[in-house]
């Protein structure tokens, strides 16, 4: 995207947190970027933590940038409290590109504290969003769903059914 490659990794310190992941003992996932001009030069080939609102305090990624290049959808796992328990469900957040920076991240309308929603991919000029969820009714653990994007709103999720989804975990 615009001569940059983005990836999600726990390769270093998290951008906003010095805490460690209880799952891996390493850093939380953060979004990193590099200029594609460096890909053929191993000495200059460096991924850096992406600056701005694209990273949060805990796990961030993967992400998808819309074909119109004005929206980004990112998976995040927070560490929110609900009573005495942590809520560690994956959720989607959509950001807008303003003055060359990703801003105004809003929660996807089908996020929940009771199930995960993540691994989104834009398609069809950004008018269709494919994503995985384990709580919107499906055939197995995580199933692949799609929503249509019209008039600045997402439609109700549609389960893609068999043979795309199975009794196992299926990701978009």
């Amino acid at each position: 995207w615009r001569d940059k490659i983005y990836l999600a990794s726990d390769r270093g310190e998290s951008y906003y947190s010095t805490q460690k992941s209880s799952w891996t003992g390493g850093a939380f996932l953060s979004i990193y970027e590099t200029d594609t001009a460096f890909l053929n030069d191993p000495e200059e080939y460096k991924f850096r933590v992406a600056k701005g609102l694209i990273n949060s305090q805990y796990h961030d990624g993967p992400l998808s940038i819309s074909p119109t290049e004005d929206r980004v959808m990112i998976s995040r796992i927070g560490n929110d409290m609900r009573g005495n328990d942590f809520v560690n469900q994956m959720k989607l957040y959509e950001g807008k590109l303003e003055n060359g920076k990703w801003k105004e991240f809003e929660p996807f309308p089908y996020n929940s504290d009771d199930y995960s929603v993540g691994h989104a991919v834009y398609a069809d000029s950004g008018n269709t969003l494919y994503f995985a969820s384990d709580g919107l009714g499906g055939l197995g653990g995580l199933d692949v769903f799609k929503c249509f994007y019209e008039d600045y709103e997402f439609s109700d999720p549609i389960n893609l059914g068999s043979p795309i989804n199975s009794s196992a975990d299926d990701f978009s």
Side-chain angles (χ1 to χ4, degrees), residues 79-94:
N79 211 3
D80 302 324
M81 291 296 292
R82 182 171 45 180
N84 293 327
D85 297 321
F86 284 110
V87 176
N88 288 62
Q89 301 294 351
M90 184 174 9
K91 297 178 181 180
L92 288 171
Y93 293 86
E94 187 176 48

Side-chain angles (χ1 to χ4, degrees), residues 39-103:
L39 293 180
N40 294 321
D41 186 353
E43 292 185 23
E44 292 293 324
Y45 186 66
K46 296 177 186 161
F47 277 93
R48 293 176 180 87
V49 174
K51 301 281 192 273
L53 299 178
I54 203 157
N55 283 304
S56 66
Q57 188 173 2
Y58 298 105
H59 289 293
D60 298 296
L63 62 78
S64 178
I65 298 172
S66 69
T68 54
E69 299 185 353
D70 60 344
R71 297 182 291 148
V72 62
M73 188 69 78
I74 188 167
S75 299
R76 290 184 170 156
I77 300 176
N79 211 3
D80 302 324
M81 291 296 292
R82 182 171 45 180
N84 293 327
D85 297 321
F86 284 110
V87 176
N88 288 62
Q89 301 294 351
M90 184 174 9
K91 297 178 181 180
L92 288 171
Y93 293 86
E94 187 176 48
K96 309 263 187 278
L97 186 66
E98 292 180 15
N99 300 321
K101 296 189 184 213
W102 297 112
K103 298 182 177 182

Side-chain angles (χ1 to χ4, degrees), residues 1 4-8 30-36 38 46-51 54-55 102:
W1 177 78
K4 293 202 181 296
I5 292 178
Y6 291 92
L7 62 86
S30 291
I31 302 298
Y32 289 78
E33 67 183 4
T34 192
D35 193 305
T36 57
F38 298 137
K46 296 177 186 161
F47 277 93
R48 293 176 180 87
V49 174
K51 301 281 192 273
I54 203 157
N55 283 304
W102 297 112

